[in-house]
């Protein structure tokens, strides 16, 4: 899957399509979030980062998103995709390990997913949470 994405230049096409839809920073970040969560459901995290990050970083920085904030945002989205139904790989692994029904695990996971999506929204739209805290800690 990763080979096909790279060979067919799909990430570039998606980035161009997003930029053609809007140049509004906030809407673009929402589109990137939705896209990365979807990708995270199907693709391994490291492969997704290696393939998508350079293209999406260029897109994000073109509308004024800090690269540190965007890095945190990408990782959070892809990790959330691993646990998000219907295809989340970690969700199925946990279900097999626990020996439970998938529906039981999804019900138990919902409060945590909701909390994670709230944090993702904060990280996406409140840059101080990533860049400000880092600059305070590092003294920059």
């Amino acid at each position: 899957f990763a080979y096909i994405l790279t060979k067919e230049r799909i990430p570039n096409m998606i980035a161009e399509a997003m930029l053609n839809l809007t140049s509004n920073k906030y809407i673009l970040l929402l589109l990137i979030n939705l896209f990365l969560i979807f990708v995270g459901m199907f693709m391994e995290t490291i492969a997704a980062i290696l393939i998508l990050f350079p293209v999406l970083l260029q897109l994000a920085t073109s509308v004024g998103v800090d690269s540190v904030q965007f890095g945190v945002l990408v990782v959070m989205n892809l990790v959330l995709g691993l646990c998000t139904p219907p295809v989340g790989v970690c969700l199925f692994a946990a279900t097999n390990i626990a020996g439970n029904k998938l529906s039981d695990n999804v019900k138990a996971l919902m409060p945590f997913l909701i909390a994670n999506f709230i944090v993702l929204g904060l990280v996406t739209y409140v840059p101080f949470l990533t860049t400000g805290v880092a600059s305070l800690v590092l003294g920059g």
Side-chain angles (χ1 to χ4, degrees):
F1 184 65
Y3 174 77
I4 292 170
L5 281 177
T6 306
K7 183 79 173 152
E8 296 298 321
R9 301 182 50 86
I10 302 295
N12 290 356
M13 292 169 38
I14 291 169
E16 289 172 12
M18 283 183 190
L19 200 53
N20 288 337
L21 279 173
T22 184
S23 60
N24 183 323
K25 174 182 173 179
Y26 302 105
I27 295 173
L28 194 62
L29 284 172
L30 177 66
L31 292 173
I32 291 171
N33 279 343
L34 294 174
F35 173 68
L36 287 173
I37 288 172
F38 180 76
V39 167
M41 288 182 199
F42 297 100
M43 237 177 126
E44 201 267 354
T45 304
I46 300 298
I49 289 172
L50 288 173
I51 293 167
L52 299 172
F53 190 78
V55 175
L56 293 177
L57 177 64
Q58 186 177 18
L59 175 67
T61 54
S62 73
V63 294
V65 177
D66 185 77
S67 58
V68 173
Q69 177 191 6
F70 188 71
V72 172
L73 183 125
V74 167
V75 171
M76 285 185 70
N77 275 295
L78 292 173
V79 170
L80 273 171
L82 287 173
C83 301
T84 304
V87 189
V89 176
C90 287
L91 180 61
F92 283 104
T95 299
N96 286 337
I97 290 169
N100 296 340
K101 287 190 213 176
L102 181 62
S103 60
D104 293 339
N105 284 353
V106 170
K107 287 177 188 173
L109 182 65
M110 276 305 154
F112 298 103
L113 279 178
I114 291 168
N116 281 321
F117 280 109
I118 290 169
V119 170
L120 177 63
L122 289 171
V123 166
T124 301
Y125 296 113
V126 183
F128 177 77
L129 293 177
T130 52
T131 58
V133 172
S135 65
L136 287 175
V137 170
L138 299 174

